[in-house]
Amino acid sequence: MRYRPLGRTGLTVSELGFGCASWWGKPRFDERTAVGLVHEAIDRGVTLFDTGASYSAGEAEPRLGRALRGGDRSRLVIATKAGTYHAGGGRIARDMSPAAIAASAERSLGNLGLETLGLLQLHGPSVHELDAAMETLAALKARGLVRAVGLNSFDPAVIDHAIGLPGVDVVMVDYNVLRPEREPLIARAAAAGKGVLAGMPLAMGHTRPLVERLRGPQDLWYAARALAKHRGELRRGARFRFLHRLPEVTGSQAALAYVLANPRLSAAVFGATRPEHLRENLAASGLALPSGVLARIHAAQKGVP
Ligand SMILES: NC(=O)c1ccc[n+]([C@@H]2O[C@H](COP(=O)([O-])OP(=O)(O)OC[C@H]3O[C@@H](n4cnc5c(N)ncnc54)[C@H](OP(=O)(O)O)[C@@H]3O)[C@@H](O)[C@H]2O)c1
């Protein structure tokens, strides 16, 4: 596993991080397998784990806390999010008021069994919410409850605004083969000294046809989410099927190698619920894209069939 600095935070992270979200955190997903994935990731050198207070209807954080219990956590950077919470019945609500953010951070520490959070990110704030939260985030750092602060957002305007805020240490963007348009944003963020994380580096698996992926209950859940929220990605992903027919690497490894080839990125955080996927993905650290593949990715990004 290779490691990179997380911007100017003084923290170093594995260039591949493990996302503790979605199906991974759900009680329907076997706890032993979920915990086993975290342990195996640590054994294979992963030091960055990303979760959120509202992830998996509030179940992901406490599950990650159970997975971390008793082990050596000194090298780990545990990142979580605040500003959204599970409001019951599968509904996610938002509250980015100073009191809610501070209370959320303190609850996260309890859920995760930590004295300090490696990274606290606002979960998809607006520009106004971000501005209003900066003082609270700084106060959490000053109290020693949080090492670094930032946000995740799919809105480039919010990330651009965050780049101009000295108090923001880290930004998480949606960056993958389907999103080359994020590259100038990533370059600006890195030039401003921000740590940059790529969420969804596998484009949620949408470079493969949905039907080929339906093997277990999690696949049905991910497929339902894709049909409800990510039809554009499903359509664009069809141009990248060739990634899954390369002789040298798997499609997921090629997708991760593409993202990690960006030297301005601190880490790519992927989600996986199958141990074989975890192993396959971690083998992408240090992997160069086979010759000619980058040109084919660029052609697909321009819409060339
Ligand atoms: N998605 C969001 O809205 C969002 C927002 C903010 C932050 N994030 C962060 O980004 C992390 C990753 O996002 P994500 O999980 O939505 O997207 P992702 O990592 O791009 O994709 C996850 C999907 O890819 C599949 N997959 C993983 N490795 C694979 C492999 N080697 N071969 C085939 N399929 C593979 C997983 O299947 P299996 O489960 O079968 O392994 C899962 O369906 C999250 O955990 C979170 O920390 C996500």
Side-chain angles (χ1 to χ4, degrees):
M1 176 61 65
R2 295 191 177 180
Y3 299 86
R4 303 187 188 193
L6 184 61
R8 293 186 190 141
T9 61
L11 297 166
T12 297
V13 290
S14 52
E15 65 179 12
L16 286 168
F18 187 70
C20 299
S22 307
W23 190 263
W24 177 88
K26 293 196 178 287
R28 277 175 287 171
F29 181 49
D30 173 57
E31 170 103 350
R32 273 181 55 189
T33 311
V35 167
L37 284 162
V38 170
H39 291 174
E40 181 162 358
I42 294 173
D43 291 346
R44 292 178 182 270
V46 173
T47 61
L48 174 64
F49 292 85
D50 181 63
T51 188
S54 64
Y55 279 9
S56 314
E59 303 280 355
E61 255 188 6
R63 175 169 275 181
L64 179 57
R66 292 191 292 277
L68 298 176
R69 202 180 288 155
D72 174 13
R73 293 168 301 188
S74 56
R75 288 187 69 220
L76 304 185
V77 175
I78 308 298
T80 193
K81 309 202 178 60
T84 57
Y85 62 95
H86 180 236
R91 209 170 56 83
I92 303 294
R94 48 196 295 129
D95 186 348
M96 305 229 181
S97 64
I101 291 166
S104 180
E106 291 187 24
R107 260 193 317 275
S108 295
L109 286 167
N111 285 339
L112 293 161
L114 298 172
E115 281 171 16
T116 308
L117 295 167
L119 170 65
L120 182 67
Q121 303 156 97
L122 288 189
H123 192 195
S126 67
V127 162
H128 172 71
E129 286 167 332
L130 178 59
D131 283 342
M134 289 314 299
E135 215 172 291
T136 308
L137 295 176
L140 290 168
K141 264 170 90 170
R143 287 169 63 197
L145 300 185
V146 174
R147 284 284 302 271
V149 299
L151 67 149
N152 93 293
S153 176
F154 303 153
D155 181 346
V158 174
I159 298 288
D160 243 334
H161 182 76
I163 292 170
L165 297 176
V168 168
D169 302 309
V170 177
V171 295
M172 179 188 263
V173 299
D174 48 341
Y175 179 47
N176 52 55
V177 287
L178 307 186
R179 291 248 169 254
E181 65 270 30
R182 296 290 183 255
E183 280 159 16
L185 197 62
I186 291 171
R188 283 200 295 282
K194 312 298 182 196
V196 186
L197 301 176
M200 298 193 278
L202 296 165
M204 295 177 285
H206 298 331
T207 52
R208 270 177 74 205
L210 266 190
V211 284
E212 272 182 28
R213 290 185 261 150
L214 299 179
R215 289 187 292 132
Q218 63 266 62
D219 306 315
L220 290 172
W221 186 87
Y222 281 111
R225 181 176 77 168
L227 291 170
K229 295 190 193 167
H230 301 290
R231 282 176 188 258
E233 276 89 347
L234 275 175
R235 246 190 330 272
R236 280 204 302 283
R239 291 192 221 129
F240 296 84
R241 302 262 157 87
F242 67 91
L243 291 176
H244 298 275
R245 294 191 288 267
L246 300 171
E248 307 92 332
V249 295
T250 69
S252 298
Q253 289 172 334
L256 291 172
Y258 168 83
V259 168
L260 292 178
N262 188 331
R264 295 172 175 114
L265 205 71
S266 305
V269 179
F270 66 83
T273 55
R274 294 182 165 96
E276 64 273 22
H277 286 169
L278 176 77
R279 285 170 212 140
E280 184 183 319
N281 297 348
L282 296 184
S285 175
L287 196 74
L289 275 175
S291 132
V293 174
L294 187 59
R296 291 179 74 185
I297 290 176
H298 286 157
Q301 287 168 338
K302 288 185 190 120
V304 180

